[in-house]
Amino acid sequence: MRTTMQRLIPALLFSAVFLIGCSRGLPREERPLVIIPDMEVQKKFKAQGATEFFEDGRMMRRPVVGTVARGNLQEDTVMYQGKFGPGETDFVPTSPFAITPEFMKRGQERYEIYCTPCHDASGAGNGIVVTRGNLVRPPTYWEQRVLDHPDGMLFDIITNGIRTMQGYKNQIAPEDRWAIVAYVRALQRAQTATIDDVPVNKRGELD
Ligand code: HEC
C-alpha cells in the first residue's frame, strides 16, 4: 500500500511545473521555482545604482554635452527670449505675433489668471495679494519707465521675473506670454489714452 507521501509526490511535481508556467505575472519574491531564469533576472545595471565600471561611479550615463530634448531646441531667440541678440538689453521692440481679437482675448484670460492676484485687473498694482499681505507693491503699468519697456522686455519680465517678482516660464507657454504682453500693452493704452484716441463722432457721448 502506498503511503500518503508517495501519493502526494506526483501531485507536487505536477503543481511545480504548473506554477513555473504561471510565475510570469507574479512579483519576483512570490515566484516559486525558476529552473531557467528569465532574462529580467540577469545581471544588469540599474538606473540609480552604483558601479566601478564607469569613472564617475554611477550606472546611469549623463546625456552627451549639448543634448537637447526633442521639441525644446528653442533656437528662435525672438520667440523664446524676446531678444534679437545675446546682449542683456537686446530686446525686440515689438512682439513677433500679429495682434488679433482672439490673441488679445487669450492674453486677457491668461493675464486674469496669472497676474491679477498682484497687479489687479487694471494693472494698477492693487491685487489681493498686495492689499492683504506685505508684498512689495508692484508699479502701475503706466509708470513712464514701464511704458518705455520694449515688448521683448515685458516678455522677459513674465518669463524670468524681475527683482522681487518671480518668473512664469514654467507655468505659461511662450505664445501665451506674448499674448499677455499684448494685453498689458492694451491696459497701458487704456490708462494713457487722450481725447485724440476717441473717434470725433463719439466724443459727444463722453461725460
Ligand atoms: C505674486 C505677485 C505677482 C504676480 C502674480 C505677478 N507680478 Fe509682476 N510684479 C510683482 C512685483 C512685486 C513687482 C515689482 C518688483 C520689484 O520692483 O521688486 C512686479 C513688477 C512687474 C512689472 C514691472 C517691472 C518693472 O520694470 O518695474 C511688470 C511689467 C510685471 N510685473 C508684469 C507682470 C505680469 C504680466 C504678470 C503675469 C504674468 C505678473 N507681473 C505677475 C508681483 C507680481
Side-chain angles (χ1 to χ4, degrees):
M1 217 186 101
R2 288 200 272 176
T3 61
T4 317
M5 203 54 212
Q6 279 171 323
R7 262 189 248 142
L8 266 177
I9 285 170
L12 283 172
L13 280 175
F14 175 78
S15 57
V17 171
F18 178 75
L19 284 174
I20 289 167
C22 285
S23 70
R24 218 157 266 275
L26 292 173
R28 174 108 45 86
E29 58 281 3
E30 284 177 32
R31 274 180 215 161
L33 183 65
V34 180
I35 294 165
I36 303 168
D38 289 342
M39 280 175 76
E40 67 180 31
V41 296
Q42 71 190 320
K43 233 179 148 201
K44 61 179 175 283
F45 282 177
K46 290 198 168 164
Q48 309 294 333
T51 176
E52 283 172 10
F53 187 81
F54 294 114
E55 226 170 60
D56 61 6
R58 48 179 133 200
M59 286 179 176
M60 195 153 63
R61 310 316 304 144
R62 309 191 69 154
V64 177
V65 176
T67 305
V68 176
R70 283 185 79 168
N72 285 286
L73 188 54
Q74 305 192 338
E75 264 183 321
D76 184 347
T77 60
V78 173
M79 169 73 186
Y80 295 105
Q81 297 170 23
K83 288 178 169 181
F84 54 77
E88 278 201 4
T89 54
D90 289 347
F91 294 118
V92 290
T94 47
S95 162
F97 285 92
I99 311 301
T100 61
E102 296 75 41
F103 194 63
M104 195 57 100
K105 199 97 204 101
R106 175 78 183 166
Q108 176 179 18
E109 188 207 29
R110 297 291 105 182
Y111 176 88
E112 284 170 0
I113 294 169
Y114 291 105
C115 319
T116 47
C118 300
H119 289 274
D120 82 43
S122 74
N126 293 319
I128 197 162
V129 177
V130 181
T131 52
R132 291 202 184 168
N134 53 4
L135 180 85
V136 173
R137 197 175 165 284
T140 67
Y141 289 147
W142 43 93
E143 200 168 279
Q144 193 57 47
R145 199 177 45 77
V146 182
L147 289 174
D148 291 343
H149 288 339
D151 281 2
M153 183 165 175
L154 290 180
F155 181 84
D156 181 72
I157 291 169
I158 303 171
T159 306
N160 300 311
I162 184 165
R163 297 184 297 274
T164 54
M165 177 188 144
Q166 82 277 30
Y168 284 83
K169 65 166 171 278
N170 296 323
Q171 292 92 326
I172 312 175
E175 185 170 347
D176 285 341
R177 278 179 248 147
W178 282 113
I180 293 175
V181 169
Y183 189 67
V184 169
R185 286 292 183 224
L187 291 175
Q188 291 177 326
R189 189 74 196 276
Q191 298 290 335
T192 54
T194 64
I195 192 73
D196 296 330
D197 292 306
V198 184
V200 177
N201 60 348
K202 299 272 180 197
R203 286 181 194 170
E205 296 171 25
L206 294 176
D207 287 340

